[in-house]
Amino acid sequence: MASEAYKNNNAVSGLLNKIKPKKQEKEPKRSRKEEKARFKKRLENLTPAEQKYLKRKRAFDKGWPILRALIVFGLCFVILYPLLYMVSAAFRPQAEMNDPTIIWLPRSFTMSNINDAIRAMDFWNTLKRTLFINIGCSVVQVVTCALTGYGFARFNFKGKTAFFLVVVLMILVPSQIILIPQYAFFRYFNPLGIYHLITGNYINLIDTPLTMYMPAITANGIRAGLFIFLFRQSFRGLPKELEDAAALDGCNPLRTFTQVMVPNAGSTFLTVFLFSIVWYWNDYYVSTSFFTKNSTIALELKNLSTTLKIVIFGNADTAVTVRELIVWMESGCLISILPLLVLYAALQKYFTEGIARSGLTGM
Amino acid sequence: MKKLNISYEKRKGLYGYGFIAIWFIGAIFFFIIPIVKSFIYSFNIVTPEDSRLSQVWAGIENYKSIFLVDPKYRQYLVQVLRDTAIQTPIILVFSLFVAIVINQEFRGRAFARSVFFLPVIIATGPVYAIITGDIETSGSASAAQFTTMFSTDMVDELLEFIGVYGLSDKFTEFMSEATGDILNLVWKCGIQIIVFLAALQGIPPSAKEVASIEGATAWEFFWKVTLSYVSPMILVNFVYTIIDTFTDPSNPVMGRIHDIQSGWEYGKAAAMAWSYFAVVLVIVGVIFALMNKIIYYDD
């Protein structure tokens, strides 16, 4: 019986395959006149309403690709413009900045702006520090946020709604509300609440990377609420059968998480990791509160015009307009975002395609 | 060894606590305690002493002073509210439009996509401030040319070209405000475009098929199918845009709070931050309640 049905089924699909047109043959190219005549002929037997519809559709089908190309090109230009300008200015001798005949390509190329900017920002040391803070924090934050997100996605426990409300508040509350108490926490750090009792002192953690690491390790770093939310959505979107199967095979939930769920949420991990790196890299609002020196690239960049004046003119109070400093400013920008751009170029394929599956849609 | 006698469900629940434990411990120290403390600060006059912050109860004195005495806070607050009210709808419409465009098939789509997501990488940092600063103030030949392309004249000329004359000044002002900085607009839409794109890819192929069989034009398809499938994401983007604009470190209120904080007036800064947050919360709440009624859910 069963095999007969199978055969039948096969026969049907075979038939279907036969009916299916093999491959649409390309229509022979017609001249524009012929095309118009054909279209008119097609319209002859139709009602006026149908004619109107077809005419409109035709006009739209023809016009839209051109309009679209214009729009896409224009917007790409608007986005790329500052970057192109940055590259153009960074390699341009300062004297050529005011030459109205030069728009994009300078007459001579120079590396001196870049070198000055590297010197002013103490670039290599700053880069090392930033990478240490940035990569480290991003990695631990992704891991802890994923754990938390999974906890919210798949387990039922008392008070879950209340706990999740805290996550939502973490997304909503602007960081400046909690920055002062956080500063006090790090400035007068009191491990286990007894350090002060024993020694009579506090530990000053300001200016140490711990101010960034401690929140990141506990999934409370920059924009952690959003990441927990993303992970929760993404894990919720995965089929429950996966875990049930793993549980039947004797996996405990932690092992299920690391060996079954994590591999299936690869694109979310990648997306969150990229966002996390970018936001740590660009952050200056939180880090100005915890670092008194220019310890990260973003902070160096924020104060670039001052440090540039010291390095180039030897005095921070030199009256120089931003406009005269522009070649150096642009050089500083260029070397600061270059690592991000390289990372983005390497990951963009997964990023732009993976985003659709990252669980954003389930919100 | 005797096994603990707990039901599977209960055990799973305990594991749930285990998974969120590390986050919750952190949240106590880095979120809950700070948030409670800053709320208390806002009702106190806080001065730093050698090893702690001393507090003197002041009631609503801080709130009174920031609204009635501070010369700038109210003005900045109104400015931020107005900017957000103007920008948010424009950002939403624009990012939906861009998402629809780059969701279509055309040559160079991969390139266009990676360019459109580029602002997400750059726009949050100080680089962005320098870039936009250059465009506005540098006055170098090419930058100046570029900005005039999008200046008010352009809008006026365009309107006259279409045949619209003698618009009221207010409308022109609004238009120039809206279109005057296309650059700013494009650079603020990265995340929103991504979210809309994800939503667009979630429209089931069957819906497209039915629409094309019934002979829907692209225009009808947009209003009747696309918009309803995307509507939950419109809400998400709405909230995201508002939060993002309000918490943007470069906006004047955030800057003012930071200044006050740097001047060690913690109580006042906390009062500012809290009143600001209250305003944001009320606005988001109202929008959420209003929009939730007109959203279409596909389940």
Side-chain angles (χ1 to χ4, degrees):
Chain A
M1 262 302 264
S3 72
E4 211 170 281
Y6 176 74
K7 250 186 207 164
N8 265 344
N9 208 355
N10 240 6
V12 169
S13 69
L15 210 68
L16 273 176
N17 274 339
K18 265 180 206 163
I19 294 168
K20 238 190 216 163
K22 273 197 183 134
K23 207 179 184 185
Q24 225 171 2
E25 273 176 36
K26 256 200 173 169
E27 286 183 31
K29 262 208 167 168
R30 293 186 201 84
S31 72
R32 206 179 257 188
K33 242 185 184 173
E34 274 178 311
E35 183 109 339
K36 251 188 186 165
R38 260 172 65 97
F39 185 67
K40 254 191 186 158
K41 210 173 174 193
R42 198 174 153 205
L43 288 184
E44 266 170 14
N45 303 327
L46 297 172
T47 62
E50 284 169 328
Q51 282 182 11
K52 207 173 153 195
Y53 168 74
L54 277 178
K55 269 185 193 161
R56 257 203 213 157
K57 191 166 171 347
R58 203 169 100 109
F60 181 80
D61 285 349
K62 282 206 159 161
W64 174 238
I66 301 168
L67 188 66
R68 182 178 61 201
L70 278 177
I71 293 168
V72 170
F73 179 79
L75 291 177
C76 281
F77 176 74
V78 171
I79 293 172
L80 288 178
Y81 176 86
L83 296 178
L84 294 175
Y85 185 75
M86 192 188 289
V87 175
S88 163
F91 295 104
R92 185 186 311 202
Q94 209 258 335
E96 288 184 29
M97 221 41 226
N98 294 323
D99 188 339
T101 59
I102 297 172
I103 295 176
W104 291 107
L105 275 181
R107 286 214 184 83
S108 54
F109 288 89
T110 172
M111 283 297 286
S112 75
N113 303 330
I114 302 265
N115 288 333
D116 287 341
I118 287 179
R119 212 148 35 94
M121 294 171 76
D122 189 13
F123 185 72
W124 299 115
N125 286 326
T126 316
L127 182 70
K128 255 186 259 163
R129 267 197 305 269
T130 313
L131 281 178
F132 172 64
I133 290 174
N134 193 328
I135 307 276
C137 285
S138 303
V139 170
V140 291
Q141 168 151 298
V142 168
V143 172
T144 47
C145 285
L147 278 171
T148 313
Y150 183 62
F152 278 116
R154 279 298 155 81
F155 298 95
N156 281 318
F157 43 87
K158 251 189 200 159
K160 189 169 145 180
T161 328
F163 283 118
F164 197 66
L165 192 72
V166 178
V167 175
V168 174
L169 274 179
M170 276 171 73
I171 302 175
L172 291 178
V173 173
S175 53
Q176 76 272 39
I177 282 192
I178 55 175
L179 269 181
I180 308 163
Q182 274 193 7
Y183 177 86
F185 178 82
F186 288 123
R187 175 66 187 80
Y188 308 114
F189 186 57
N190 191 7
L192 302 173
I194 52 167
Y195 185 83
H196 180 65
L197 279 180
I198 298 168
T199 61
N201 284 319
Y202 295 102
I203 305 174
N204 183 359
L205 291 180
I206 296 299
D207 271 329
T208 63
L210 272 178
T211 53
M212 287 287 166
Y213 265 104
M214 283 169 61
I217 287 170
T218 54
N220 277 275
I222 293 169
R223 303 227 192 182
L226 191 65
F227 296 147
I228 293 174
F229 196 85
L230 270 178
F231 271 120
R232 170 182 174 260
Q233 296 303 117
S234 157
F235 284 128
R236 262 173 64 170
L238 291 176
K240 255 195 169 142
E241 288 78 9
L242 281 176
E243 288 151 298
D244 292 342
L248 281 179
D249 286 344
C251 263
N252 65 23
L254 191 64
R255 210 166 145 214
T256 310
F257 174 71
T258 53
Q259 301 202 328
V260 179
M261 301 312 272
V262 173
N264 276 305
S267 63
T268 312
F269 273 87
L270 203 66
T271 312
V272 170
F273 183 58
L274 187 68
F275 277 144
S276 187
I277 283 196
V278 166
W279 276 323
Y280 267 103
W281 190 272
N282 286 337
D283 167 72
Y284 57 90
Y285 198 83
V286 176
S287 29
T288 32
S289 310
F290 297 151
F291 293 102
T292 49
K293 297 172 216 131
N294 293 341
S295 304
T296 66
I297 295 236
L299 290 178
E300 281 287 355
L301 205 57
K302 196 98 183 44
N303 301 316
L304 187 59
S305 56
T306 323
T307 45
L308 272 176
K309 280 177 198 167
I310 297 173
V311 167
I312 297 168
F313 304 101
N315 185 357
D317 300 323
T318 322
V320 198
T321 59
V322 178
R323 192 179 148 198
E324 285 170 81
L325 279 174
I326 193 159
V327 285
W328 289 289
M329 298 287 279
E330 296 281 11
S331 308
C333 279
L334 188 63
I335 54 177
S336 308
I337 54 165
L338 206 59
L340 281 188
L341 290 180
V342 170
L343 184 78
Y344 179 63
L347 293 182
Q348 64 86 16
K349 198 183 148 205
Y350 306 97
F351 179 59
T352 49
E353 279 167 20
I355 201 93
R357 280 171 283 138
S358 67
L360 275 166
T361 19
M363 274 193 201
Chain B
M1 229 163 89
K2 207 180 149 194
K3 237 184 162 185
L4 274 174
N5 200 9
I6 313 176
S7 75
Y8 176 68
E9 283 300 315
K10 254 196 178 153
R11 225 166 44 212
K12 253 196 113 176
L14 285 179
Y15 266 109
Y17 285 121
F19 272 105
I20 67 162
I22 191 167
W23 159 77
F24 190 65
I25 292 168
I28 290 174
F29 286 108
F30 300 115
F31 187 72
I32 297 172
I33 291 180
I35 213 174
V36 172
K37 267 193 180 166
S38 110
F39 191 63
I40 297 170
Y41 285 167
S42 75
F43 294 103
N44 283 281
I45 287 169
V46 183
T47 37
E49 279 170 15
D50 46 16
S51 68
R52 63 198 182 85
L53 297 169
S54 84
Q55 300 170 20
V56 178
W57 181 257
I60 57 164
E61 217 37 56
N62 282 325
Y63 287 92
K64 258 192 195 160
S65 99
I66 57 166
F67 279 108
L68 302 176
V69 183
D70 192 302
K72 287 178 182 155
Y73 182 69
R74 250 191 324 178
Q75 181 198 334
Y76 286 159
L77 196 61
V78 172
Q79 189 188 334
V80 170
L81 287 176
R82 206 199 51 175
D83 286 354
T84 315
I86 295 175
Q87 271 178 12
T88 309
I90 298 171
I91 287 179
L92 286 182
V93 171
F94 179 79
S95 49
L96 181 58
F97 176 75
V98 171
I100 288 174
V101 168
I102 59 175
N103 194 33
Q104 295 175 341
E105 299 276 346
F106 58 90
R107 242 192 290 160
R109 182 176 80 158
F111 175 76
R113 276 194 189 182
S114 40
V115 171
F116 279 114
F117 296 158
L118 209 52
V120 180
I121 308 290
I122 301 165
T124 47
V127 170
Y128 178 66
I130 295 180
I131 288 174
T132 44
D134 289 345
I135 300 282
E136 278 154 18
T137 58
S138 71
S140 70
S142 48
Q145 274 169 11
F146 178 72
T147 29
T148 45
M149 273 166 63
F150 298 109
S151 66
T152 333
D153 299 346
M154 167 112 172
V155 179
D156 280 345
E157 270 169 35
L158 188 71
L159 285 176
E160 281 174 21
F161 177 74
I162 308 172
V164 186
Y165 290 97
L167 280 166
S168 75
D169 287 345
K170 267 216 174 125
F171 183 72
T172 330
E173 207 175 283
F174 171 78
M175 284 299 286
S176 69
E177 185 105 358
T179 50
D181 46 7
I182 285 194
L183 182 97
N184 264 326
L185 176 68
V186 177
W187 278 76
K188 273 180 189 162
C189 288
I191 298 268
Q192 287 86 335
I193 293 174
I194 291 178
V195 171
F196 274 138
L197 194 62
L200 286 174
Q201 286 170 351
I203 298 178
S206 55
K208 287 176 200 166
E209 211 173 309
V210 167
S212 76
I213 287 171
E214 299 284 345
T217 57
W219 184 246
E220 285 163 340
F221 184 77
F222 170 77
W223 285 106
K224 301 208 165 123
V225 181
T226 311
L227 210 56
S228 37
Y229 271 106
V230 167
S231 59
M233 287 300 121
I234 295 181
L235 179 64
V236 169
N237 268 341
F238 217 118
V239 175
Y240 180 84
T241 311
I242 290 177
I243 301 282
D244 202 44
T245 333
F246 276 129
T247 56
D248 178 8
S250 65
N251 92 35
V253 175
M254 291 281 282
R256 181 81 188 142
I257 293 172
H258 198 253
D259 288 349
I260 299 271
Q261 232 171 75
S262 313
W264 301 99
E265 293 183 82
Y266 286 169
K268 236 185 190 179
M272 271 185 191
W274 272 100
S275 52
Y276 186 52
F277 179 54
V279 172
V280 175
L281 215 57
V282 167
I283 292 173
V284 170
V286 167
I287 287 166
F288 204 90
L290 285 179
M291 296 251 320
N292 228 353
K293 278 185 187 160
I294 50 172
I295 283 177
Y296 166 82
Y297 286 107
D298 189 32
D299 41 39

